[in-house]
Amino acid sequence: MTDIHYNHKEVESKWQQKWEADKLYRSVIDNSRPKHYALTMLPYPSGDLHIGHWYAMTPSDARARFMRMKGYNVLFPMGFDAFGLPAENAAIKDGVHPMKRTFQNIERMRRQMKSMGAMFDWEREAVSASPEYYKWTEWFFIQLYKMGLAYRKMSAVDWCPHCNTTLAREQVWGDDRHCERCGTPVIKKDLDQWFFRATKYADELLNFDGIDWPQTVKTLQTNWIDRSEGASVVFKTEIGNHDVEIFTTRPDTLWGATFMVFSPEHPLVNEITTPENKVAVEEYKTQAARQTEIQRGAVDKEKTGVFTGAYAINPVNQARIPIWIADYVMMSYGTGAIMAVPAHDERDFAFAKKYELPIVFVIQPEVKSDADGAEMNAAYVGPGVMVNSGMLNGTKVNTEKGRKNPGIAKVLDWLAKQGIGKESVNYRYRDWLISRQRYWGAPIPMVNCEIHGWNPVPDDQLPVTLPEDVEWRPTGESPLKLHPTWKNTTCPVCNGPATRETDTMDTFMCSSWYHLRYLSPHYDKGPFDPAEYDYWMPVDTYTGGIEHATMHLLYTRFFHKALRDAGIVEGHEPMLQLRNQGMVLGEDGDKMSKSKGNVIAPDVLVNKYGADSVRAYIMFFARWEMGAPWDSQGIEGAVRWVRRVWTLFTDSPTDSITDSRTGTDEVRKNLRRKVHQTLRKVTRDYENFEFNTIISSLMELMNEMYKAREAGAAGSAEWSEALEIYLKMMAPVTPHIAEELWAHLGKPYSIHTQQWPIVDEAATKEDSIELPVQINGKVRDRITVPAEATEDEIKSAALALETVQKFLVGREPKKVIVASRRLVSIVV
Ligand code: ANZ
């Protein structure tokens, strides 16, 4: 086996088979060891594992292996997020059943994943499209329904005309609002839909206490939820006396509201519009519907709108103000109607200027004494004093939001006392739209009866399984609806004829709880085995892409909180620590895509270089959280490292011999120092997910070991220790070759169950230290002193320097300071 040439194919397949046969990566409850649940995002079974999967998974695997060697009982599971549109779109295109395609793809990808040599515990594999999984997805839906967290509502939804389905807000991308999956521009459509009341948890989701998540993800979620404090105030229409509620962040400007603007979709528009304005209003509504919200909301967009002919009464001063409709007011935010304060809001200002509406100044800057609406050429948005505001004149307002602003707090109290308005918080965050008009998803387990309305399917009838005999037609209706019999059932209340919900669930529902299914993927008395839950949860480290920040990573937090309130899970958060990897780009620096022809296929690389080299290169070529363009030349460096390690180990004496051939004391001591210094650094790097510097440290140590061997160190105890520590440090990165060389050293199988070596701090100490010497704050020289030198010894060594003597010219220095043994500072 001490081949000169390293045969990666033979070595890797040999160990993969042995590890599998020995169940080396099987994770079971073990109360004698601390547990570590390492979770990495599960793939969609697209059919081929791409380099991005490797980039996400193999460093996560290395980290999990490191934790295992550190003494943790590690759970590192893998599965497939197997429902979803692509399989169904493909079925429509070429007729292959999504179930067949999906399970074939899984088969293939599982094989590819095994080639990574990762420590996945395949006995815990969970596949969201299997009935034993989606039974519990359905069951969870019912639990949320029973808690009042699932409800049905008619609403205008985002609709992809190509995929023929509704999309959640998160699945609508870009300024042009296109479908996340197929790129088609999204339109609005009215449909009866199921929602989860995620907004109930909006405030709690803004709280990240107790979890170690990247600031970027926390910021993205915070901005996504977009909490905004203000007031809701009711205006009355002059005719019809309708209540119109508005949301404003500036209740202090109420006296400056000189008109109202309704969203063109506002339900009162038809009623209040006077006959002579009907035509113009209808025309305007039609053209507004053609635009996206982003286009409509752009600050610099030319403001347009039409007068409805109706008026409202401003409740603070009884002013009669006109009601307009304009597309810059969105039905999806606040109440869909605003009070317009042109003097202090830029959009309202532009609108008032264009349509010659009055501008009333109500916040006076403290410095600039006289300003008048008519002369303003921009809205004033700064701090100041309330004027033209009746009783509240003189109130100072700063630019803080909500109650934190004493002026606004005063206004809010006044409004409440007068019964005009109340404090209110508004979120951009919406309830989660669950319904999809598709086949390949978990059925929504609800039944509708003419007498008893909607009721959940009884537990003993779960899962509601998908029928296999369906027809593929892109009709906009789910094939479940077109199926001749599937939807017919009986009412759980009266047993009379009833129909099933034919929509399926958003696949993000399946991935919101997969970490729980891994605990016991075949358990049938509940979604998970409570004993497994108690031992393994919560997830200790979660790794995956940041692109999920406002989707999966937010859904799963909401879902956990809902399950907590249902008494199903414990704790406030499902995943304690999150780390995001960056992206591997094509060699051209662009995102990899088939159409650009810049896709790197891991299978080809594994075949050519071996999994260990691919893993090592992936960890080496970029800071993990940053990512970088792929570099086909660069991988040769990793390959060379692996080969040189092989040679170093197979081409050196391994037995301890204690004669003159083992190098000088100096050589052996230096080797040991370097080994333990590297170990300290590498340990820290594994802990911090700094994979690239692990590899560079190992490369550096290897060079030192070659030098030490030249100097005769091979065969010494220090040499043996170096070999052993070296293999342990590389084992998480390159598990196969490490196992092979471990066996070559005659050590007991398996290296992956060995304890992580402990740093001998004493051995890491340098013999001497070098310090810069400053004179009057400027570095003028350096000194080298023995590592154990005292402060006084360092001082006299510094003062003895020729450079220092020149500066002193015979005088005594004013001050000599040795700053934490790092720097000598002399003041002359
Ligand atoms: C009067 C006012 C005066 C406002 C002023 C601002 C400045 P954020 O911070 O994003 O929550 N608004 C409310 N609903 C709207 C809708 N559906 N479409 C477009 N605009 C809407 O913004 C809240 C502010 O945005 C609200 O406060 C309202 O304008 C506007 F000097 O009310 B404001």
Side-chain angles (χ1 to χ4, degrees):
M1 68 176 275
T2 52
D3 257 0
I4 300 197
H5 301 292
Y6 172 53
N7 184 338
H8 65 78
K9 277 191 193 152
E10 213 169 273
V11 168
E12 292 185 352
S13 92
K14 175 178 86 183
W15 290 113
Q16 282 169 17
Q17 281 169 34
K18 179 154 172 62
W19 294 333
E20 190 164 343
D22 297 344
K23 294 185 189 289
L24 187 69
Y25 303 127
R26 179 83 183 107
S27 43
V28 292
I29 295 176
D30 172 2
N31 286 309
S32 70
R33 280 186 296 163
K35 67 94 183 178
H36 180 83
Y37 189 170
L39 181 70
T40 190
M41 290 179 184
L42 83 179
Y44 173 78
S46 55
D48 248 319
L49 216 57
H50 55 75
I51 200 78
H53 290 122
W54 274 72
Y55 190 65
M57 291 173 187
T58 55
S60 304
D61 174 58
R63 181 77 171 29
R65 288 172 173 280
F66 165 74
M67 291 304 282
R68 179 176 188 178
M69 294 176 80
K70 287 285 278 183
Y72 289 90
N73 185 20
V74 176
L75 169 59
F76 188 53
M78 188 37 72
F80 294 92
D81 187 15
F83 276 135
L85 275 183
E88 192 166 345
N89 285 346
I92 292 170
K93 217 167 119 213
D94 57 26
V96 179
H97 198 284
M99 177 136 41
K100 188 169 163 214
R101 182 186 297 273
T102 301
F103 284 89
Q104 275 171 352
N105 286 353
I106 287 175
E107 191 83 356
R108 180 176 160 80
M109 287 173 79
R110 196 189 290 121
R111 221 175 28 241
Q112 292 175 323
M113 269 195 239
K114 286 186 176 176
S115 79
M116 285 178 182
M119 61 174 279
F120 297 128
D121 176 359
W122 287 105
E123 285 183 49
R124 291 183 183 268
E125 182 195 63
V127 178
S128 67
S130 68
E132 67 173 355
Y133 187 110
Y134 71 72
K135 168 176 179 174
W136 301 105
T137 308
E138 294 175 5
W139 184 83
F140 280 129
F141 181 97
I142 294 169
Q143 306 316 303
L144 265 63
Y145 176 79
K146 287 181 178 163
M147 293 167 76
L149 288 177
Y151 66 92
R152 197 173 160 82
K153 192 178 83 177
M154 183 69 147
S155 65
V157 293
D158 288 319
W159 177 268
C160 172
H162 177 258
C163 299
N164 266 319
T165 191
T166 48
L167 300 170
R169 190 168 60 122
E170 294 81 347
Q171 294 162 334
V172 180
W173 284 19
D175 282 358
D176 61 340
R177 292 178 39 84
H178 62 267
C179 169
E180 170 209 10
R181 307 264 187 193
C182 73
T184 307
V186 164
I187 59 168
K188 291 276 179 199
K189 192 167 171 173
D190 271 323
L191 281 179
D192 241 334
Q193 309 276 311
W194 289 100
F195 288 85
F196 284 152
R197 216 177 290 283
T199 51
K200 184 178 166 202
Y201 294 91
D203 276 327
E204 210 196 319
L205 289 166
L206 289 169
N207 180 349
F208 299 92
D209 286 353
I211 55 174
D212 168 19
W213 280 33
Q215 188 53 47
T216 28
V217 174
K218 294 195 276 188
T219 304
L220 285 165
Q221 295 199 347
T222 304
N223 294 344
W224 185 256
I225 294 169
D226 197 6
R227 182 177 200 272
S228 147
E229 286 177 26
S232 72
V233 180
V234 175
F235 285 59
K236 293 236 182 246
T237 60
E238 193 181 42
I239 296 168
N241 202 31
H242 296 291
D243 280 354
V244 184
E245 195 185 339
I246 59 107
F247 171 75
T248 178
T249 46
R250 295 291 307 273
D252 53 319
T253 65
L254 257 162
W255 286 260
T258 52
F259 59 101
M260 288 188 86
V261 184
F262 285 19
S263 158
E265 297 83 24
H266 195 285
L268 272 180
V269 171
N270 285 347
E271 245 170 276
I272 60 167
T273 302
T274 54
E276 60 277 19
N277 292 290
K278 274 254 144 50
V279 177
V281 165
E282 276 315 314
E283 262 173 28
Y284 189 79
K285 283 172 69 167
T286 319
Q287 72 93 11
R290 274 193 232 116
Q291 292 178 55
T292 69
E293 284 200 0
I294 308 272
Q295 291 166 337
R296 284 171 52 164
V299 180
D300 53 359
K301 177 182 177 270
E302 166 86 22
K303 297 283 164 292
T304 60
V306 292
F307 180 41
T308 61
Y311 287 83
I313 305 300
N314 183 338
V316 294
N317 57 10
Q318 314 309 315
R320 181 173 183 260
I321 58 176
I323 302 175
W324 287 62
I325 62 169
D327 59 10
Y328 74 94
V329 176
M330 250 60 81
M331 199 56 222
S332 58
Y333 189 75
T335 63
I338 65 160
M339 66 167 186
V341 183
H344 304 290
D345 180 273
E346 284 167 38
R347 294 197 276 184
D348 298 346
F349 183 84
F351 196 85
K353 278 283 180 199
K354 179 162 178 188
Y355 295 107
E356 294 177 351
L357 293 160
I359 298 174
V360 174
F361 196 72
V362 291
I363 304 294
Q364 174 99 60
E366 280 191 77
V367 276
K368 192 169 114 216
S369 58
D370 58 349
D372 184 294
E375 291 160 15
M376 296 173 79
N377 39 34
Y380 177 68
V381 296
V385 179
M386 290 172 67
V387 292
N388 299 327
S389 300
M391 308 256 314
L392 290 171
N393 277 344
T395 306
K396 277 191 191 174
V397 287
N398 59 35
T399 49
E400 289 258 36
K401 294 275 151 56
R403 264 202 186 269
K404 281 196 296 293
N405 184 335
I408 291 190
K410 189 170 164 192
V411 176
L412 288 171
D413 292 339
W414 185 85
L415 289 174
K417 212 150 105 216
Q418 307 293 312
I420 293 172
K422 56 179 194 296
E423 213 170 328
S424 133
V425 179
N426 198 59
Y427 303 88
R428 200 168 76 99
Y429 192 45
R430 298 283 89 137
D431 279 345
W432 178 5
L433 172 58
I434 286 293
S435 303
R436 295 291 180 276
Q437 292 66 48
R438 302 299 296 206
Y439 165 78
W440 194 232
I444 295 175
M446 298 295 291
V447 169
N448 190 24
C449 157
E450 273 183 15
I451 307 156
H452 297 102
W454 287 100
N455 281 288
V457 172
D459 280 2
D460 61 8
Q461 289 169 33
L462 296 180
V464 176
T465 44
L466 290 169
E468 284 182 37
D469 54 333
V470 290
E471 258 211 70
W472 306 110
R473 271 186 269 156
T475 56
E477 301 280 18
S478 164
L480 293 178
K481 203 166 201 165
L482 304 172
H483 191 281
T485 54
W486 184 81
K487 63 181 174 293
N488 302 330
T489 183
T490 52
C491 170
V493 181
C494 67
N495 243 337
T499 48
R500 291 186 190 286
E501 172 59 84
T502 54
D503 286 349
T504 54
M505 287 184 236
D506 180 5
T507 52
F508 278 114
M509 169 85 179
C510 315
S511 55
S512 287
W513 73 279
Y514 75 107
H515 54 286
L516 295 173
R517 195 61 189 164
Y518 284 150
L519 299 173
S520 47
H522 311 298
Y523 190 70
D524 61 0
K525 293 185 227 14
F528 52 80
D529 179 343
E532 297 278 341
Y533 181 95
D534 288 346
Y535 182 75
W536 293 110
M537 279 294 284
V539 172
D540 294 284
T541 60
Y542 194 22
T543 52
I546 195 161
E547 66 275 16
H548 293 288
T550 57
M551 296 193 278
H552 163 66
L553 289 170
L554 194 51
Y555 290 132
T556 194
R557 292 181 66 220
F558 152 72
F559 204 72
H560 182 89
K561 289 169 194 299
L563 298 194
R564 174 203 60 197
D565 289 350
I568 299 169
V569 299
E570 282 164 358
H572 301 304
E573 296 283 346
M575 291 118 187
L576 300 183
Q577 185 185 43
L578 173 72
R579 289 294 178 267
N580 301 115
Q581 80 276 3
M583 237 200 318
V584 189
L585 302 171
E587 293 208 75
D588 51 6
D590 285 338
K591 212 179 146 165
M592 280 189 203
S593 78
K594 279 194 189 126
S595 59
K596 289 205 190 98
N598 59 356
V599 175
I600 299 293
D603 278 5
V604 178
L605 297 173
V606 172
N607 198 31
K608 185 161 170 203
Y609 303 112
D612 281 342
S613 294
V614 178
R615 291 170 64 106
Y617 181 60
I618 272 179
M619 287 182 234
F620 180 61
F621 88 112
R623 289 195 59 173
W624 193 52
E625 73 277 20
M626 306 290 288
W630 187 257
D631 175 4
S632 294
Q633 308 288 275
I635 194 166
E636 301 284 350
V639 175
R640 216 171 313 124
W641 170 57
V642 168
R643 288 213 195 109
R644 290 194 69 209
V645 170
W646 177 261
T647 311
L648 182 68
F649 276 77
T650 54
D651 197 20
S652 306
T654 51
D655 301 328
S656 286
I657 32 174
T658 42
D659 62 20
S660 56
R661 283 178 297 149
T662 59
T664 62
D665 283 357
E666 179 83 18
V667 166
R668 284 185 275 132
K669 191 171 173 196
N670 287 345
L671 171 64
R672 185 142 200 272
R673 181 186 315 115
K674 185 72 191 169
V675 166
H676 281 272
Q677 284 177 344
T678 306
L679 175 60
R680 184 170 54 200
K681 169 128 201 337
V682 164
T683 305
R684 219 179 289 143
D685 287 349
Y686 273 118
E687 266 155 15
N688 298 330
F689 298 80
E690 309 261 9
F691 304 105
N692 58 331
T693 46
I694 292 174
I695 318 288
S696 53
S697 301
L698 289 174
M699 289 175 172
E700 206 182 304
L701 176 58
M702 179 187 67
N703 291 335
E704 293 300 317
M705 286 170 71
Y706 267 103
K707 278 189 216 152
R709 193 178 68 167
E710 286 285 284
S716 65
E718 289 84 352
W719 179 253
S720 305
E721 186 198 34
L723 294 180
E724 186 173 331
I725 292 183
Y726 198 92
L727 285 186
K728 285 182 179 175
M729 287 193 291
M730 82 186 286
V733 178
T734 52
H736 310 88
I737 191 170
E739 187 81 285
E740 177 74 15
L741 292 173
W742 187 251
H744 172 71
L745 293 183
K747 304 277 178 189
Y749 173 79
S750 152
I751 190 167
H752 303 299
T753 55
Q754 300 301 312
Q755 283 297 306
W756 191 253
I758 293 167
V759 180
D760 179 351
E761 290 294 341
T764 65
K765 294 257 165 14
E766 298 284 353
D767 290 341
S768 55
I769 49 174
E770 200 197 59
L771 298 91
V773 179
Q774 278 188 356
I775 303 174
N776 292 341
K778 239 181 143 176
V779 176
R780 297 284 179 184
D781 209 340
R782 312 181 79 82
I783 45 164
T784 305
V785 294
E788 63 279 4
T790 65
E791 214 166 279
D792 281 342
E793 284 165 349
I794 296 175
K795 276 184 194 170
S796 26
L799 289 173
L801 285 169
E802 207 176 301
T803 344
V804 176
Q805 286 302 320
K806 248 198 258 160
F807 265 90
L808 287 172
V809 281
R811 288 168 299 169
E812 279 296 301
K814 272 203 201 126
K815 238 194 263 169
V816 183
I817 304 164
V818 180
S820 53
R821 306 178 68 78
R822 284 229 181 92
L823 173 86
V824 186
S825 174
I826 300 171
V827 182
V828 180

